[in-house]
Amino acid sequence: MLLRLLANPLDDAAFLRIVNVPRRAIGPQILEQLAALSRAQGSSLLAACRDPKIADRLAPRSRTQLQAFAQVIAEHAAQARFDPVGALRALIQTVGYRAWLRDQSSS
């Protein structure tokens, strides 16, 4: 899903599957408010994270979490144009995905 979102920032399904992996404390209510803004703006969920109007709808902590996530994806998507494998590896490291997998694994 990370790779799908890097390749296509309009992929809302990929966004929803990875926005909380590893956990970022972005709950269903926050995602509903983000989806409402996305629909109102006619944009993707990822683009809505960067929309200044998000400040009117979300608490500062939630807004900061979403904006930080969107920024990480944007930075790595730009790198992926030149080095897709390197960008994906860097993104996995940046978001702590490998450590999260180890924590979630029973063995």
Side-chain angles (χ1 to χ4, degrees), residues 55-94:
D56 299 336
R57 297 181 183 232
L58 297 176
R61 182 170 183 252
S62 301
R63 181 180 68 243
T64 300
Q65 289 278 45
L66 287 170
Q67 289 173 335
F69 176 73
Q71 182 63 31
V72 165
I73 296 297
E75 288 170 1
H76 288 84
Q79 179 186 354
R81 291 186 198 119
F82 305 103
D83 180 15
V85 174
L88 184 58
R89 285 183 179 148
L91 180 58
I92 287 169
Q93 179 66 31
T94 300

Side-chain angles (χ1 to χ4, degrees), residues 24-39:
R24 289 182 188 83
I26 299 170
Q29 290 179 329
I30 295 166
L31 291 174
E32 286 176 21
Q33 292 170 333
L34 181 65
L37 177 62
S38 171
R39 282 189 303 273

